[in-house]
Amino acid sequence: MTEPASQQMGQQAGAQIEAGSMADQAYAAIEELIVSGTLPPRSFVSEKQISTQLGIGRTPVREALKRLEMDGMVTIVPSRGIMVTEVDVKLQLYVLDVRRELERLIARRAARYALPAERERCRAIAGEMLEAARNGDGMRFMHLDQEVNQLLDQSARNPVATQTIRPLRSLSRRFWFQNYHAHIGSLEDGAKTHADLMLAIHRGDAEEAAAASDRLMAYVEAYARETLRYPFDGPAPQ
């Protein structure tokens, strides 16, 4: 007996959601490999290698790589595979020009529209970031930073802003993580500016959240300019 059209459509929709979910998981996992430097700049990988390493099918991996290419994290090189792009210090300053405005909008909206549970998580994550910094745990900090971004986007409830800012954040996260070892105090400064933003959202203070977001972006810009002056593979400042 033929299944009703509505049931077939429901099954198709479910399959699409499942595929989308796996692609999101693949995107997050590959992005972390790139951001952390596990996949270094100019290294080559294949869909098959990544699929095997992550235990995720090649179709969602392929979709994730397409998104990462649009985000500027990888380049598809015919006959050679997927190349991780280089870190461009100067590009960060252009990225921050755009990101600053979007982050301020998202922070203000998050302070206004966050639900009680989201506000509580903002308060808790502020403490966790400060603790990660005190312990010098850069990997933990990176994971919390990703959660902060997700929490901001969820609380702001503006999917257009979320979609627009995602690739800019990925480029910034990668740049920060691969250079923070050369910047004395950068982990502590980063944790403090993030914590101020999270606590402003916890309190529901939209204007303070916007101001805290600006301070966070000022810290990130100063960090980029210092790296431009003293590249991470060059002489350290005295």
Side-chain angles (χ1 to χ4, degrees), residues 83-95:
M83 185 185 78
V84 178
T85 57
E86 294 189 79
V87 176
D88 187 335
V89 180
K90 293 181 179 179
L91 177 64
Q92 293 305 309
L93 300 177
Y94 295 118
V95 166

Side-chain angles (χ1 to χ4, degrees), residues 146-209:
Q146 182 75 312
E147 186 180 349
V148 164
N149 291 338
Q150 294 168 352
L151 188 56
L152 283 168
D153 292 343
Q154 179 179 308
S155 302
R157 290 171 170 81
N158 185 326
V160 175
T162 297
Q163 184 175 5
T164 304
I165 204 169
R166 186 195 70 218
L168 305 179
R169 283 177 174 160
S170 292
L171 290 171
S172 291
R173 275 164 40 79
R174 177 189 182 196
F175 173 79
W176 185 91
F177 189 81
Q178 293 188 13
N179 290 280
Y180 85 92
H181 303 86
H183 293 262
I184 298 173
S186 62
L187 206 58
E188 293 83 357
D189 292 342
K192 177 64 166 60
T193 51
H194 280 82
D196 287 347
L197 173 57
M198 291 292 97
L199 292 174
I201 293 170
H202 168 69
R203 294 191 300 269
D205 189 334
E207 293 313 309
E208 176 52 31

Side-chain angles (χ1 to χ4, degrees), residues 117-128 151 195 198-199 201-202:
E118 293 165 345
R119 295 187 192 279
E120 278 306 303
R121 183 56 190 148
C122 285
R123 181 192 59 76
I125 205 170
E128 291 173 23
L151 188 56
M198 291 292 97
L199 292 174
I201 293 170
H202 168 69

Side-chain angles (χ1 to χ4, degrees), residues 35-81:
V35 168
S36 66
T38 303
L39 293 178
R42 299 193 66 79
S43 63
F44 279 87
V45 292
S46 68
E47 286 181 9
K48 182 178 180 180
Q49 287 174 313
I50 294 176
S51 177
T52 300
Q53 181 175 352
L54 299 180
I56 298 176
R58 293 183 66 173
T59 297
V61 165
R62 186 177 302 118
E63 290 301 312
L65 288 169
K66 288 179 182 177
R67 287 169 55 185
L68 287 163
E69 184 177 33
M70 292 178 63
D71 292 353
M73 302 285 277
V74 301
T75 299
I76 310 299
V77 182
S79 303
R80 296 196 64 185

